[in-house]
Amino acid sequence: MHTAAAHATKLELTKSQIVIAPQTAGLFRANSVTTFNAGAEIYAPGDKAGTFYHVEFGAVRIHRLLSDGRRQVIAFHLAGETFGFEADRTHSFFAEAIAPTGLRAINRTANDQALPELLSLALRGMLRAQEHIMMIGRQTAVERIAGFLVDMAERQGGLEHFDIPMTRLDIADYLGLTIETVSRVFAKLRSAGLIKLRSIRCIEIKKHEALRSLCA
Amino acid sequence: MHTAAAHATKLELTKSQIVIAPQTAGLFRANSVTTFNAGAEIYAPGDKAGTFYHVEFGAVRIHRLLSDGRRQVIAFHLAGETFGFEADRTHSFFAEAIAPTGLRAINRTANDQALPELLSLALRGMLRAQEHIMMIGRQTAVERIAGFLVDMAERQGGLEHFDIPMTRLDIADYLGLTIETVSRVFAKLRSAGLIKLRSIRCIEIKKHEALRSLCA
DNA sequence: CGGTCCGTTGACGTGACTCAAGTTACGTGG
DNA sequence: CCACGTAACTTGAGTCACGTCAACGGACCG
């Protein structure tokens, strides 16, 4: 199974401190921005939780490995999104940058005014996870890819073309498919004229409605 | 596909009011208990959200249908658990009793003292959903069933045998499988001596460790 | 005691996986 | 700038886990 156990053999886990004008995000106490190279680990299962991260630029994947190397990507977080909250005191997933990424760490203050905001984020995260379950539980490969592309398009502001920061392997592990299936479905959508691959990571949606109608 | 679109053709949606001694649950304002028959709808997509439900007895399934009838069960809630929180003002799933069930409705008060409690529930719900993604995204049928049985055993207090309130179809739709596959895997686990089916809905785990080792 | 729902089992089909062989994109050093 | 090595992606052929279709058995209920 092509599910990147190899990836676990750490890349260059560089993490450089770059201070950018601190700007308060909501009611949290915001810190400076830290940049991560592609592949760099942000946290791992077992790490102490309690800090949230606001994506300033770049993208992050949240995932977990099974003992035999099978990998499931739980979520992608793009610029403008916040992640890192956990039910327990320690993280239960990996968070890694999937491109050069800037994160603003946000320390949860002891007695938060920000609870409603945090609750909203948690509920939204729960909903997202539930829709993800729907997708990988009951949809075909084509439906999953179509849904993924529509989602990405919307999260990038609905432009007619956009770059995806993740590899085919990341997409496969997010959708519960293999890299080969992802590649084949892309080819199928392309030859059906629904999308165009401007480059390997730049996707243009040619027939938005047709694509959306595939989402089941 | 055996995924209960037929079920949508409403059963006897009976909902009888029975008042039981009101008892405050946490910091919420708790109401009386309402009982639902098996199959009765508690809420549906589009219904106004904002009320939570504490399961006094019985069990509830949360699910959603695709347009062609494919069904995905998102979660089961057993006695002692709380459900019903949503990111939006309206529900996006069905909630139905899967056995005679008593629910204590809990109205969210305008300016909650209960926010931390609610946040904790939301985070725990998110974690549960994420582990569910892991399960249906990357595990085989045997692994999913084993995981399901271990989970059910733990949630029932870790007894060596327990009743499951849901049908094979509910289990199938929860795990992203078909009813036939569920049945076959049960048969396989039984003939391997890992479990015993005392009756069709009563499961005895004979080799707890062996079962757990199947969970990947 | 007949109908209905639920569950089981078998035979067969197929969508996605596996294995394998390329090709393309990209970074690095000469 | 090109040569090289590596990672990412694509494509094809064959396989398999799970789905589909179908027949049947048991439990419950009026």
Side-chain angles (χ1 to χ4, degrees), chain A residues 137-138, chain B residues 140-141 144-145 171-179 181-182 185:
Chain A
R138 284 298 179 210
Chain B
T140 64
R144 294 182 212 190
I145 298 279
I171 298 172
D173 286 345
Y174 177 68
L175 297 176
L177 300 170
T178 59
I179 182 173
T181 298
V182 171
V185 172

Side-chain angles (χ1 to χ4, degrees), chain B residues 30-173:
Chain B
N31 291 332
S32 56
V33 168
T34 306
T35 63
F36 294 80
N37 285 343
E41 180 178 294
I42 298 156
Y43 56 75
D47 285 3
K48 189 168 154 298
T51 300
F52 314 134
Y53 301 91
H54 181 81
V55 182
E56 300 290 322
F57 61 87
V60 171
R61 76 171 158 250
I62 310 297
H63 71 266
R64 183 188 272 182
L65 299 170
L66 294 180
S67 50
D68 61 0
R70 279 175 287 176
R71 188 179 75 151
Q72 177 66 46
V73 172
I74 299 297
F76 295 114
H77 296 290
L78 308 182
E81 301 177 352
T82 303
F83 69 95
F85 18 96
E86 290 270 354
D88 298 314
R89 305 208 160 231
T90 60
H91 286 290
S92 32
F93 298 95
F94 289 97
E96 293 176 2
I98 57 183
T101 297
L103 297 181
R104 186 178 301 279
I106 297 166
N107 294 318
R108 186 172 172 189
T109 56
N111 97 12
D112 265 312
Q113 261 70 39
L115 265 176
E117 197 176 331
L118 185 50
L119 176 61
S120 169
L121 285 170
L123 287 173
R124 212 146 285 288
M126 188 168 94
L127 181 61
R128 228 172 218 298
Q130 288 169 334
E131 314 230 283
H132 196 177
I133 290 170
M134 193 80 218
M135 175 137 101
I136 63 183
R138 283 300 178 210
Q139 294 184 210
T140 64
V142 169
E143 289 165 344
R144 294 182 212 190
I145 298 279
F148 172 75
L149 290 175
V150 168
D151 182 46
M152 288 307 291
E154 282 169 1
R155 285 161 74 181
Q156 311 257 355
L159 302 168
E160 78 283 1
H161 69 100
F162 53 89
D163 286 298
I164 52 172
M166 62 288 285
T167 66
R168 300 291 189 265
L169 182 57
D170 286 329
I171 298 172
D173 286 345

Side-chain angles (χ1 to χ4, degrees), chain A residues 6-209:
Chain A
H7 186 274
T9 57
K10 307 247 172 174
L11 309 168
E12 8 65 75
L13 293 188
T14 34
K15 182 195 293 195
S16 61
Q17 280 278 2
I18 295 188
V19 177
I20 301 189
Q23 123 201 355
T24 23
L27 296 165
F28 295 107
R29 199 183 67 210
N31 292 332
S32 57
V33 168
T34 305
T35 63
F36 294 80
N37 285 342
E41 180 178 294
I42 298 157
Y43 56 73
D47 285 3
K48 190 169 154 294
T51 300
F52 315 133
Y53 301 92
H54 182 81
V55 183
E56 300 290 322
F57 61 88
V60 171
R61 76 171 158 251
I62 309 297
H63 70 267
R64 183 187 272 183
L65 298 170
L66 295 179
S67 50
D68 62 358
R70 279 175 287 175
R71 188 179 75 152
Q72 177 67 47
V73 173
I74 299 297
F76 295 115
H77 296 290
L78 309 182
E81 302 177 352
T82 303
F83 69 95
F85 18 95
E86 290 270 353
D88 299 314
R89 304 207 162 231
T90 60
H91 286 290
S92 33
F93 297 94
F94 288 96
E96 293 177 2
I98 56 183
T101 297
L103 297 182
R104 185 179 302 279
I106 298 167
N107 295 318
R108 186 174 170 187
T109 57
N111 106 8
D112 266 310
Q113 260 70 39
L115 267 175
E117 197 176 332
L118 185 50
L119 176 62
S120 169
L121 285 171
L123 287 172
R124 212 146 284 288
M126 187 168 94
L127 182 61
R128 227 173 217 298
Q130 289 169 334
E131 313 229 283
H132 196 176
I133 290 171
M134 194 80 219
M135 176 136 100
I136 65 184
R138 284 298 179 210
Q139 294 185 210
T140 65
V142 169
E143 289 165 344
R144 295 182 211 191
I145 298 279
F148 171 75
L149 290 175
V150 168
D151 181 46
M152 288 307 291
E154 281 170 1
R155 284 160 75 182
Q156 311 258 354
L159 302 168
E160 78 283 2
H161 69 101
F162 53 90
D163 285 298
I164 52 172
M166 62 290 284
T167 67
R168 301 289 189 265
L169 182 57
D170 287 329
I171 298 172
D173 286 345
Y174 177 69
L175 297 176
L177 300 170
T178 59
I179 182 175
E180 293 95 332
T181 300
V182 171
S183 187
R184 276 187 255 268
V185 172
F186 270 57
K188 195 169 175 179
L189 294 177
R190 181 169 46 71
S191 69
L194 299 196
I195 63 172
K196 185 173 175 180
L197 298 173
R198 291 197 179 186
S199 80
I200 218 152
R201 299 282 185 89
C202 180
I203 290 166
E204 179 180 347
I205 297 185
K206 306 285 284 185
K207 300 185 182 171
H208 217 287
E209 279 320 305

Side-chain angles (χ1 to χ4, degrees), chain B residues 182-209:
Chain B
V182 171
S183 187
R184 277 187 256 266
V185 172
F186 270 57
K188 195 170 176 179
L189 295 177
R190 181 169 47 70
S191 68
L194 299 195
I195 63 172
K196 184 173 176 181
L197 298 172
R198 291 197 179 184
S199 78
I200 219 152
R201 299 281 184 89
C202 180
I203 290 167
E204 179 180 345
I205 296 186
K206 306 285 283 184
K207 301 184 183 172
H208 217 287
E209 279 321 304

